[in-house]
Amino acid sequence: MGGLMFSSGDDPLHTPRMPPHIYHHVKAACHAALRTMFVCVAGPIEGPEKEDYGDLDILVAMETRLVFPTSPRRCVPRGVEELAADIKAALNAERSIVKPCNNSIHLAIPWPKHEPQLGEDRQRYIQVDICICKNMDQMFWALFKSAHSDAWTLLGSMIRPFGLTADDGGLWLRIPEIEKLDRKKSRVLLTTDPVEVLHFLGMQVEGYWSEPFLTVDAMFNYIATCRFFTVNESSSGLPQDNSSTKRNLKTRPIFRKWFYDFLPRLRADGRFEQQCQSVSGINDLRVHVRGEAFRAFNVEPIYWAQLKDWRLKKEPEAVKDLIKAAIPNDLDPQYRGSLLSAIKKIIMENNRELGWLRPISLRDDEGFYDKDMTRAFVEENWEAIGKVAFKKYSNAYYAGLQSKKLKNAHGTAIQSQ
């Protein structure tokens, strides 16, 4: 199994996995070719004990023609499609897939000619994935996030229960009240600095992010130094049952080895049982970690402002639901409909057409409703409001019918003349 982007479709290419000597040869050749176009060319630190490779990942930044322009025309940035054409030519690729949405280019390049095809009739190809970074900060973060192969797959699953998420954009703190409805909008950016992230996770920086680990166990033991990691003998140690976990267990051998080999060994040895146990309960733990994130990254004002903005946007729907719940369901549908419309206008628009005034205390200066007082107002007044509202609705309805009859009669009279 190799790179999969070109191995299916109408005219699939044969992209087998590469032995280490082919991988490193192709990597060196691609980096050399790309350095004629970009100032910065790098690849993530490989995972430990890899016997073969499915594809080649490369990150580039700072197009040379922009950094060292030879004419005013060469100062104009180019789009990913235009860059892709030059990159494809530089790497002698036969096929390409360009994804402007994330500035990525996927190429299929021929297997090195000096390497035998081992009796195979079909041509071999290698998938090369190139990410064009906007700046050096983005490149440093991308290299950090993709280093050591599956390291961040494991760290991500470890920190997720504490309200933390690491993705291509940085390390985020999630707002519980929002994430149930919109996971992306629930996130508050903490940092895009890899060193700050490692310090916050309680992990050592020096000596672990410059070269691959010698063994998988060495990487596992380092990941286990994260202060959010713990092993509890009373738990099964199995990952949470969700689609991401199922996919990782099925497709990532390192992920399976972590859960089905490494963790049981730690549990049997009684290691890490007390780590991160000073606060009990996942909700308490999230509040505790949130406080630490506020202090470490100075995001508390942003967090509360984002939550307030979300609540204000959701407030109208919440109040409408409250009003509906406070009015009996067994009323005549037309009567209940006119009542709901009227009482929503009184409470939410301060409409005074029916003679009711919304109590000033129902809504505070920030725009939030006192739910208990709002419910009490509806329960105390819905019958009286309903009578007036339905009468007004009925009068308007019959007036409309009468007007329609007069128009029809007038039209018939004209036609008969």
Side-chain angles (χ1 to χ4, degrees), residues 69-82:
T70 56
S71 68
R73 183 182 176 185
R74 293 177 65 84
C75 293
V76 180
R78 297 186 291 172
V80 64
E81 292 93 345
E82 192 175 358

Side-chain angles (χ1 to χ4, degrees), residues 187-332:
R187 301 179 308 175
V188 176
L189 182 63
L190 297 179
T191 182
T192 58
D193 185 326
V195 174
E196 287 185 346
V197 172
L198 292 173
H199 285 167
F200 187 69
L201 300 183
M203 303 174 73
Q204 189 173 336
V205 180
E206 295 78 11
Y208 293 95
W209 297 92
S210 56
E211 59 186 9
F213 287 97
L214 293 178
T215 66
V216 172
D217 261 18
M219 183 178 77
F220 284 170
N221 279 296
Y222 173 69
I223 292 172
T225 64
C226 174
R227 67 189 181 96
F228 297 114
F229 174 68
T230 186
V231 174
N232 190 332
E233 283 198 22
S234 63
S235 68
S236 66
L238 296 179
Q240 294 179 349
D241 186 18
N242 56 47
S243 59
S244 175
T245 296
K246 289 179 179 178
R247 182 174 63 253
N248 287 332
L249 286 173
K250 183 178 180 180
T251 61
R252 296 183 177 276
I254 293 294
F255 201 75
R256 290 197 299 272
K257 189 171 183 178
W258 168 268
F259 283 103
Y260 297 131
D261 177 32
F262 185 70
L263 292 187
R265 281 192 278 131
L266 292 188
R267 195 173 297 109
D269 294 341
R271 296 171 59 191
F272 298 98
E273 290 179 28
Q274 301 303 317
Q275 190 166 332
C276 200
Q277 295 297 310
S278 58
V279 183
S280 61
I282 190 62
N283 291 330
D284 290 339
L285 282 169
R286 287 194 65 163
V287 172
H288 182 74
V289 172
R290 182 186 71 190
E292 292 182 329
F294 286 171
R295 292 187 289 274
F297 303 106
N298 299 313
V299 296
E300 184 171 4
I302 299 173
Y303 181 100
W304 294 122
Q306 193 163 315
L307 177 56
K308 176 186 173 182
D309 182 62
W310 171 267
R311 283 175 169 167
L312 282 172
K313 289 178 180 177
K314 295 297 179 181
E315 187 77 348
E317 287 302 318
V319 174
K320 288 177 183 177
D321 291 341
L322 183 153
I323 294 171
K324 288 180 181 179
I327 295 175
N329 286 319
D330 56 354
L331 300 176
D332 174 81

Side-chain angles (χ1 to χ4, degrees), residues 46 121 207 224 272 383 393 413:
E46 289 91 359
D121 294 332
F272 298 98
E383 290 185 88
Y393 164 80

Side-chain angles (χ1 to χ4, degrees), residues 8-165:
S8 60
D10 295 336
D11 186 17
L13 299 179
H14 181 41
T15 53
R17 296 188 70 84
M18 297 170 279
H21 73 282
I22 293 292
Y23 172 82
H24 290 294
H25 170 79
V26 173
K27 177 181 177 180
C30 288
H31 280 219
L34 290 170
R35 285 197 181 98
T36 65
M37 299 177 59
F38 296 92
V39 174
C40 298
V41 179
I45 301 172
E46 289 91 359
E49 298 184 39
K50 290 188 74 70
E51 298 179 355
D52 53 30
Y53 299 82
D55 52 26
L56 173 61
D57 293 315
I58 303 175
L59 293 92
V60 299
M62 300 174 64
E63 192 182 355
T64 305
R65 59 186 287 278
L66 299 179
V67 180
F68 305 108
T70 56
S71 68
R73 183 182 176 185
R74 293 177 65 84
C75 293
V76 180
R78 297 186 291 172
V80 64
E81 292 93 345
E82 192 175 358
L83 284 169
D86 284 356
I87 292 174
K88 182 179 179 181
L91 269 57
N92 193 32
E94 292 196 13
R95 292 189 192 173
S96 64
I97 298 174
V98 182
K99 294 186 177 180
C101 59
N102 56 8
N103 281 343
S104 66
I105 304 166
H106 307 274
L107 304 172
I109 66 174
W111 197 271
K113 292 182 178 179
H114 66 274
E115 289 294 328
Q117 294 290 307
L118 302 177
E120 293 188 4
D121 294 332
R122 51 183 176 169
Q123 171 68 45
R124 290 182 174 188
Y125 292 89
I126 295 168
Q127 180 177 315
V128 180
D129 299 330
I130 300 174
C131 176
I132 302 174
C133 300
K134 296 177 181 178
N135 49 51
M136 291 306 299
D137 287 341
Q138 186 187 42
M139 186 175 190
F140 286 146
W141 177 261
L143 289 170
F144 170 65
K145 186 66 170 52
S146 54
H148 303 304
S149 185
D150 288 309
W152 262 108
T153 303
L154 298 172
L155 283 169
S157 66
M158 188 184 303
I159 66 175
R160 191 173 299 115
F162 300 92
L164 300 170
T165 294

